[in-house]
Amino acid sequence: MNKGRIEAFTDAIVAIAATIMVLELKPPKVNTVAALLDEWPVFLAYLISFSLIYIVWYEHHNLFQRSGVISSSTYFLNGVWLFFLTLIPFVTAWIGESPNSVVAAVTYLLVMLLWTLAFQLMERQVTLDSDPHKRHYRLPRARFNFDLFLLGGLVIAFFVPFFAIVAVGLFSLILIVRMFQHREDSNG
Amino acid sequence: MNKGRIEAFTDAIVAIAATIMVLELKPPKVNTVAALLDEWPVFLAYLISFSLIYIVWYEHHNLFQRSGVISSSTYFLNGVWLFFLTLIPFVTAWIGESPNSVVAAVTYLLVMLLWTLAFQLMERQVTLDSDPHKRHYRLPRARFNFDLFLLGGLVIAFFVPFFAIVAVGLFSLILIVRMFQHREDSNG
Amino acid sequence: MNKGRIEAFTDAIVAIAATIMVLELKPPKVNTVAALLDEWPVFLAYLISFSLIYIVWYEHHNLFQRSGVISSSTYFLNGVWLFFLTLIPFVTAWIGESPNSVVAAVTYLLVMLLWTLAFQLMERQVTLDSDPHKRHYRLPRARFNFDLFLLGGLVIAFFVPFFAIVAVGLFSLILIVRMFQHREDSNG
Amino acid sequence: MNKGRIEAFTDAIVAIAATIMVLELKPPKVNTVAALLDEWPVFLAYLISFSLIYIVWYEHHNLFQRSGVISSSTYFLNGVWLFFLTLIPFVTAWIGESPNSVVAAVTYLLVMLLWTLAFQLMERQVTLDSDPHKRHYRLPRARFNFDLFLLGGLVIAFFVPFFAIVAVGLFSLILIVRMFQHREDSNG
């Protein structure tokens, strides 16, 4: 498949998913600083979801940089990954409106976890495709830790819903730090 | 015409049509699992329409891969194809809201059928353009079966509206299976 | 300037303007064929605006194909052209809702006329830029006829508002016919 | 990093942010010229925000033209810049609805100022990356004047809210004039 065209198509979907979330940011009903600040959960949820999408795009970029040919399996898993990504505007709007709802918090983290798992399956596929002799694939330790982290966040969110947004914020931060480390240590 | 630019323009429209459907996914009125699950037809309709668009993009990609020069006729038919594609968010929203409406179900399948026919006309054009000596074009058997399948679904939807969404779901699955077969047998 | 990047940026805006118009297509209040058909002006307005944008994109494509370097003036006029283009979803929604309103009809045609004039200024600029010795530019007769046509439509729309949508439909058809002639006669 | 892919991804977000603002332009409640003209602050705010985004894109284009490799730091700052950009539809909708609100006016200018500062940090990073021996970076005088200008506008907006929109309109004009000067004097 034409890698450049798949990348551009994927990036368009990522860009739209990241940007249509701003349609949730509505001018406050009354024009006071208090009314604006009252909307802080909506803004915080937007900031965190936008940051995560932006930094995960970097991971997608790296994955496709090192992939040679895009196989049907990779294309399929890319679609699964994009599908969960497009649910982020929905869960972000929900958690922004209802930051103390357990159902919203758990759904938010569940979408993030499934999105992350879809990425890991795609990463596995790209790795296997690049080396036809390879039979076994071991999930990198860092990826495994991400899954544990999000799963842990999901459990905590059952008791403290607001932790969902904190967990995804921390997850973005970890990925950002990793990106800067990656610069210094290309084997990272 | 500049094939790369037409592809990028087309892909942007496809990406937007696939992604703005998520604007239909609204947080439930009350924050309960029951309220979320009550929205299942909206989510199912979204999942199926997104999958279909994503997998049909693969067919478009293949068609343009094997086309040399893009003629005015192909550009025109590409526009017809894009027009029906942009109606998918509308019919998806409708069938998600009214999964038991005969009118919604038939309109949904009609749009899918017209979209499919537009693709087949475009495919015919690309084939004729690539070989100026060719006068006759025979619709591939698989394409003909797709038309019959959607037409059959349309007839059944008059009696069982919900079958519309099942039919399009099955159609996506068939195209996905075909994509994986295509990998193993490049003559497929 | 980097022509490929300007083209891609322009095309993204064109694709979004053409596609967000579908957000105006709402499922009918009641699920009957009559209720769906009652919405015909909204659908007709969408069909005509989408067709026009799609076919004018072809003109933009041709213009940029024959331009060498993109000057600041061309970039500026491209922005003016894009600005009027982005007003099309607004006037299309308006005329679809109020097909018999004189104000809606005249505004619709006025936006189309200004958009067309912006294109002609950009075309003039590209022509002058491509030949530094050229001092004078004569508007091609076809372009002049388009202006007259839209201006005439605007006058008629004062008396028969619905003519606005007919005029733009005819304008799209003329451009489509021209595109097919262009194929056979590259000097067109 | 793959500069072309980052540019395309960035441009898609810029194009969406610039274009979804038109969703704020609603057909007037009654179909009269007076009702249309009554909406002038919404249209003016849209015109000015669209112009600014379009002309700042030109600055982004120039910056990436002269950058060699995109570092992690540049990618990160590009994300900060995009984040503030995506807030523009929100503040534009707000100031269009409430052109005389101090809170709306100050928020509008604050977003513009933060967006501008993010650009300057990114410009500094690109400059430092392009010359590893360079340790110190001096903000160009023109950039410093822009900051002062927006800061001054912010102060005035506390007393005359409507000045916010005038200030951003003037800012766009200055950048447009600079673009035309840049053409004649490539050292600008």
Side-chain angles (χ1 to χ4, degrees), chain A residues 81-100:
Chain A
W81 180 76
L82 283 172
F83 176 74
F84 287 116
L85 164 69
T86 62
L87 295 182
I88 292 179
F90 160 71
V91 289
T92 302
W94 195 6
I95 208 168
E97 278 177 32
S98 310
N100 296 314

Side-chain angles (χ1 to χ4, degrees), chain B residues 94-108 157-164, chain C residues 28 30-33:
Chain B
W94 195 6
I95 208 168
E97 277 176 32
S98 311
N100 295 315
S101 154
V102 172
V103 187
V106 169
T107 310
Y108 182 73
F158 268 101
F159 303 96
V160 191
F162 189 73
F163 187 72
Chain C
V30 284
N31 295 317
T32 61
V33 176

Side-chain angles (χ1 to χ4, degrees), chain C residues 8 47 55 57 64 79-80 89 97 106 111 113 133 159 171 182 186:
Chain C
L47 168 64
I55 196 70
W57 182 87
F64 271 57
V80 176
E97 276 176 32
V106 169
V111 166
L113 184 61
H133 298 292
F159 304 97
F171 187 38
H182 188 85
S186 288

Side-chain angles (χ1 to χ4, degrees), chain A residues 11 31 46 54 60-61 183, chain D residues 2 5 73 75 79 86 94 98:
Chain A
D11 292 354
N31 295 319
Y46 173 59
Y54 189 75
H60 190 282
H61 163 274
R183 185 182 47 172
Chain D
N2 179 339
R5 196 175 165 191
S73 302
Y75 179 70
T86 63
W94 194 6
S98 311

Side-chain angles (χ1 to χ4, degrees), chain C residues 1-3 5-6 8-10 12-13 16-17 20 23-24 71-80 82-83 86-87 89-90 93-94 97-98 101-104 107 125 129, chain D residues 7-8 10-12 14-16 18-20 22-23 25-28 30-33 36 39 43 46-47 50 53-55 57-58 60-62 64-65 176 179-180 182-183:
Chain C
M1 294 183 72
N2 178 340
K3 193 166 85 166
R5 195 174 166 193
I6 297 175
F9 179 52
T10 300
I13 295 178
I16 300 160
I20 56 172
L23 293 175
E24 286 301 313
S71 66
S72 297
S73 302
T74 301
Y75 179 70
F76 176 79
L77 291 167
N78 191 50
V80 176
L82 283 172
F83 176 74
T86 63
L87 295 183
F90 160 70
W94 194 7
E97 276 176 32
S98 311
S101 155
V102 172
V103 187
T107 310
Q125 190 63 47
D129 287 346
Chain D
E7 286 176 349
T10 300
D11 292 354
V14 177
I16 300 161
T19 317
I20 56 173
V22 300
L23 293 174
L25 309 178
K26 309 269 190 216
V30 284
N31 295 317
T32 60
V33 176
L36 181 64
E39 288 192 34
F43 284 95
Y46 172 59
L47 168 64
F50 182 89
I53 292 176
Y54 188 74
I55 196 69
W57 182 87
Y58 172 78
H60 189 282
H61 162 274
N62 287 353
F64 271 57
Q65 281 290 90
I176 291 170
M179 177 180 73
F180 281 104
H182 188 85
R183 185 182 46 172

Side-chain angles (χ1 to χ4, degrees), chain A residues 7 11 14-16 19 22 25-28 31 36 43 46-47 54 57-58 60-61 64-65 179-180 183, chain D residues 1-2 5-6 9 12-13 16-17 20 72-73 75-76 78-79 82-83 86-87 90 94 97-98 101 103 107:
Chain A
E7 286 176 348
D11 292 354
V14 176
I16 300 160
T19 317
V22 299
L25 309 178
K26 309 269 189 217
N31 295 319
L36 182 64
F43 284 96
Y46 173 59
L47 168 64
Y54 189 75
W57 182 86
Y58 172 79
H60 190 282
H61 163 274
F64 271 57
Q65 281 292 89
M179 178 180 73
F180 281 104
R183 185 182 47 172
Chain D
M1 293 184 74
N2 179 339
R5 196 175 165 191
I6 297 175
F9 179 52
I13 294 178
I16 300 161
I20 56 173
S72 298
S73 302
Y75 179 70
F76 176 78
N78 191 51
L82 283 172
F83 176 74
T86 63
L87 295 183
F90 160 71
W94 194 6
E97 278 176 31
S98 311
S101 154
V103 187
T107 311

Side-chain angles (χ1 to χ4, degrees), chain B residues 2 5 73 75 79 86 94, chain C residues 11 31 46 54 57 60-61 183:
Chain B
N2 179 340
R5 195 175 166 193
S73 302
Y75 179 70
T86 63
W94 195 6
Chain C
D11 292 354
N31 295 317
Y46 172 60
Y54 188 75
W57 182 87
H60 190 282
H61 162 275
R183 184 181 48 173

